[in-house]
mmCIF file with all atom_site columns, all heavy atoms in Angstrom:
data_model
loop_
_atom_site.group_PDB
_atom_site.id
_atom_site.type_symbol
_atom_site.label_atom_id
_atom_site.label_alt_id
_atom_site.label_comp_id
_atom_site.label_asym_id
_atom_site.label_entity_id
_atom_site.label_seq_id
_atom_site.pdbx_PDB_ins_code
_atom_site.Cartn_x
_atom_site.Cartn_y
_atom_site.Cartn_z
_atom_site.occupancy
_atom_site.B_iso_or_equiv
_atom_site.pdbx_formal_charge
_atom_site.auth_seq_id
_atom_site.auth_comp_id
_atom_site.auth_asym_id
_atom_site.auth_atom_id
_atom_site.pdbx_PDB_model_num
ATOM 1  N N   . HIS A 1 42  ? 26.758 -47.254 44.766 1.00 93.00 ? 279 HIS A N   1
ATOM 2  C CA  . HIS A 1 42  ? 25.806 -47.329 45.782 1.00 93.00 ? 279 HIS A CA  1
ATOM 3  C C   . HIS A 1 42  ? 25.546 -48.794 45.991 1.00 93.00 ? 279 HIS A C   1
ATOM 4  O O   . HIS A 1 42  ? 25.207 -49.562 45.123 1.00 93.00 ? 279 HIS A O   1
ATOM 5  C CB  . HIS A 1 42  ? 24.469 -46.799 45.290 1.00 93.00 ? 279 HIS A CB  1
ATOM 6  C CG  . HIS A 1 42  ? 24.444 -45.346 44.848 1.00 93.00 ? 279 HIS A CG  1
ATOM 7  N ND1 . HIS A 1 42  ? 24.941 -45.011 43.699 1.00 93.00 ? 279 HIS A ND1 1
ATOM 8  C CD2 . HIS A 1 42  ? 23.974 -44.245 45.439 1.00 93.00 ? 279 HIS A CD2 1
ATOM 9  C CE1 . HIS A 1 42  ? 24.686 -43.694 43.513 1.00 93.00 ? 279 HIS A CE1 1
ATOM 10 N NE2 . HIS A 1 42  ? 24.171 -43.202 44.639 1.00 93.00 ? 279 HIS A NE2 1
ATOM 11 N N   . LEU A 1 155 ? 14.802 -57.034 27.633 1.00 98.00 ? 392 LEU A N   1
ATOM 12 C CA  . LEU A 1 155 ? 16.080 -56.430 27.895 1.00 98.00 ? 392 LEU A CA  1
ATOM 13 C C   . LEU A 1 155 ? 16.637 -55.528 26.864 1.00 98.00 ? 392 LEU A C   1
ATOM 14 O O   . LEU A 1 155 ? 17.355 -54.611 27.034 1.00 98.00 ? 392 LEU A O   1
ATOM 15 C CB  . LEU A 1 155 ? 17.136 -57.515 28.301 1.00 98.00 ? 392 LEU A CB  1
ATOM 16 C CG  . LEU A 1 155 ? 16.775 -58.364 29.607 1.00 98.00 ? 392 LEU A CG  1
ATOM 17 C CD1 . LEU A 1 155 ? 17.728 -59.464 29.740 1.00 98.00 ? 392 LEU A CD1 1
ATOM 18 C CD2 . LEU A 1 155 ? 16.649 -57.508 30.840 1.00 98.00 ? 392 LEU A CD2 1
ATOM 19 N N   . ARG A 1 160 ? 17.943 -49.907 25.507 1.00 98.00 ? 397 ARG A N   1
ATOM 20 C CA  . ARG A 1 160 ? 17.705 -48.703 24.651 1.00 98.00 ? 397 ARG A CA  1
ATOM 21 C C   . ARG A 1 160 ? 17.131 -47.612 25.327 1.00 98.00 ? 397 ARG A C   1
ATOM 22 O O   . ARG A 1 160 ? 17.543 -46.411 25.127 1.00 98.00 ? 397 ARG A O   1
ATOM 23 C CB  . ARG A 1 160 ? 16.603 -49.210 23.533 1.00 98.00 ? 397 ARG A CB  1
ATOM 24 C CG  . ARG A 1 160 ? 17.141 -50.060 22.465 1.00 98.00 ? 397 ARG A CG  1
ATOM 25 C CD  . ARG A 1 160 ? 16.083 -50.227 21.345 1.00 98.00 ? 397 ARG A CD  1
ATOM 26 N NE  . ARG A 1 160 ? 16.633 -51.230 20.483 1.00 98.00 ? 397 ARG A NE  1
ATOM 27 C CZ  . ARG A 1 160 ? 16.018 -52.526 20.411 1.00 98.00 ? 397 ARG A CZ  1
ATOM 28 N NH1 . ARG A 1 160 ? 14.969 -52.830 21.019 1.00 98.00 ? 397 ARG A NH1 1
ATOM 29 N NH2 . ARG A 1 160 ? 16.512 -53.432 19.505 1.00 98.00 ? 397 ARG A NH2 1
ATOM 30 N N   . ASN A 1 182 ? 32.836 -70.213 31.621 1.00 97.00 ? 419 ASN A N   1
ATOM 31 C CA  . ASN A 1 182 ? 31.963 -71.311 32.102 1.00 97.00 ? 419 ASN A CA  1
ATOM 32 C C   . ASN A 1 182 ? 30.574 -71.207 31.488 1.00 97.00 ? 419 ASN A C   1
ATOM 33 O O   . ASN A 1 182 ? 30.294 -70.311 30.684 1.00 97.00 ? 419 ASN A O   1
ATOM 34 C CB  . ASN A 1 182 ? 31.880 -71.294 33.702 1.00 97.00 ? 419 ASN A CB  1
ATOM 35 C CG  . ASN A 1 182 ? 31.457 -69.938 34.146 1.00 97.00 ? 419 ASN A CG  1
ATOM 36 O OD1 . ASN A 1 182 ? 30.622 -69.233 33.622 1.00 97.00 ? 419 ASN A OD1 1
ATOM 37 N ND2 . ASN A 1 182 ? 31.904 -69.545 35.316 1.00 97.00 ? 419 ASN A ND2 1
ATOM 38 N N   . LEU A 1 231 ? 34.721 -58.691 21.785 1.00 98.00 ? 468 LEU A N   1
ATOM 39 C CA  . LEU A 1 231 ? 33.419 -58.426 21.155 1.00 98.00 ? 468 LEU A CA  1
ATOM 40 C C   . LEU A 1 231 ? 33.281 -56.893 21.052 1.00 98.00 ? 468 LEU A C   1
ATOM 41 O O   . LEU A 1 231 ? 32.207 -56.425 20.472 1.00 98.00 ? 468 LEU A O   1
ATOM 42 C CB  . LEU A 1 231 ? 32.244 -58.881 22.039 1.00 98.00 ? 468 LEU A CB  1
ATOM 43 C CG  . LEU A 1 231 ? 31.779 -60.480 22.000 1.00 98.00 ? 468 LEU A CG  1
ATOM 44 C CD1 . LEU A 1 231 ? 30.669 -60.639 22.849 1.00 98.00 ? 468 LEU A CD1 1
ATOM 45 C CD2 . LEU A 1 231 ? 31.479 -60.675 20.537 1.00 98.00 ? 468 LEU A CD2 1
ATOM 46 N N   . ARG A 1 257 ? 44.531 -66.072 54.216 1.00 97.00 ? 494 ARG A N   1
ATOM 47 C CA  . ARG A 1 257 ? 44.884 -64.643 53.911 1.00 97.00 ? 494 ARG A CA  1
ATOM 48 C C   . ARG A 1 257 ? 45.718 -64.482 52.810 1.00 97.00 ? 494 ARG A C   1
ATOM 49 O O   . ARG A 1 257 ? 45.602 -63.582 51.932 1.00 97.00 ? 494 ARG A O   1
ATOM 50 C CB  . ARG A 1 257 ? 45.466 -64.150 55.260 1.00 97.00 ? 494 ARG A CB  1
ATOM 51 C CG  . ARG A 1 257 ? 44.438 -63.608 56.158 1.00 97.00 ? 494 ARG A CG  1
ATOM 52 C CD  . ARG A 1 257 ? 45.000 -62.482 57.052 1.00 97.00 ? 494 ARG A CD  1
ATOM 53 N NE  . ARG A 1 257 ? 43.900 -61.620 57.324 1.00 97.00 ? 494 ARG A NE  1
ATOM 54 C CZ  . ARG A 1 257 ? 44.205 -60.333 57.859 1.00 97.00 ? 494 ARG A CZ  1
ATOM 55 N NH1 . ARG A 1 257 ? 45.282 -60.071 58.311 1.00 97.00 ? 494 ARG A NH1 1
ATOM 56 N NH2 . ARG A 1 257 ? 43.172 -59.590 58.186 1.00 97.00 ? 494 ARG A NH2 1
#
Side-chain angles (χ1 to χ4, degrees):
H279 302 75
L392 296 177
R397 287 191 190 110
N419 57 34
L468 278 182
R494 274 205 144 189

